[in-house]
Amino acid sequence: ADEARRYRQAETLIDQQRPYAALSILDALVQEGSSKWEVHNDLATLHFQNGLAEQALRHMRRAVELDTSGIDALLNLGRMYLLSGIPGHALAALGEALQRRPGDATTRAVIRDAAIVIAHHDAPEEWIAASAQLLEADIARLRHDLDEIDAKT
C-alpha cells in the first residue's frame, strides 16, 4: 500500500513538472526493491530526459523484464534505443512488441516511424556499429511483417 501511495505521489509530481522530486521517490522505491514495471519505466524516462541514457536504458530494460506480457515498456525501450543511436537494438525491442501484439496500431506506427528515421538518417556510419546489411534485413523483415498484418486487418 505504501509503495502504491508513493508511486502515485511520484506520478503527481511528474504531472506538476517537478521531475527531481519524483526522481527521488522513484529512486527510493527501486532501492527498496520495487517490482512494479511502471516505477522503472518512469525512472528511466526521467533519467533519459536528463541526458542519462545509460541509466535510463538500464531501468527501461528492467521494466521490460518485469512487464512480461505488455508492450508499453518495450515500445519505450525501442524509442530510447532509437534516440540513443542504437537502431539494431531499437528494432529488436520493437519487433518483440510486434510479436506480443501483432494487431496493435500503436506498435505498428512506432515501427513505421523507426524504419523511416533509420532509413533516412543523414549519417548512418555514426549509427550503425554492425553491418548495414543486417540493419537493412531487419527493416525489410519488419516491413514484411507489417504488410502481413495489414493484409489480415
Side-chain angles (χ1 to χ4, degrees):
D2 183 53
E3 180 182 17
R5 179 190 59 75
R6 290 167 58 209
Y7 177 69
R8 283 192 306 274
Q9 182 183 15
E11 284 184 313
T12 299
L13 291 166
I14 292 168
D15 291 342
Q16 295 172 347
Q17 305 296 315
R18 297 177 55 201
Y20 295 108
L23 191 63
S24 176
I25 292 170
L26 295 170
D27 267 331
L29 288 171
V30 167
Q31 293 300 318
E32 294 164 13
S34 175
S35 60
K36 288 181 59 119
W37 75 266
E38 297 93 338
V39 170
H40 290 272
N41 181 81
D42 291 355
L43 185 57
T45 301
L46 291 173
H47 281 314
F48 198 79
Q49 290 170 347
N50 286 305
L52 302 172
E54 186 176 319
Q55 290 155 309
L57 288 167
R58 186 180 71 241
H59 285 291
M60 194 57 75
R61 285 189 296 266
R62 181 66 179 136
V64 168
E65 290 172 7
L66 294 169
D67 185 26
T68 58
S69 61
I71 60 169
D72 292 335
L74 275 169
L75 293 176
N76 290 338
L77 180 62
R79 289 178 182 120
M80 282 186 183
Y81 276 132
L82 187 63
L83 293 171
S84 298
I86 311 171
H89 288 9
L91 291 174
L94 297 174
E96 188 175 336
L98 185 64
Q99 287 180 337
R100 287 186 187 181
R101 301 247 176 94
D104 184 71
T106 300
T107 302
R108 291 176 15 214
V110 171
I111 291 171
R112 280 191 185 113
D113 291 346
I116 290 168
V117 167
I118 292 167
H120 292 97
H121 194 271
D122 290 336
E125 65 277 357
E126 294 175 10
W127 276 47
I128 303 170
S131 166
Q133 291 177 344
L134 291 175
L135 180 60
E136 290 171 3
D138 283 345
I139 291 170
R141 180 181 46 78
L142 288 170
R143 284 185 177 148
H144 180 276
D145 290 348
L146 288 172
D147 290 342
E148 284 185 14
I149 291 167
D150 286 340
K152 292 178 184 177
T153 57

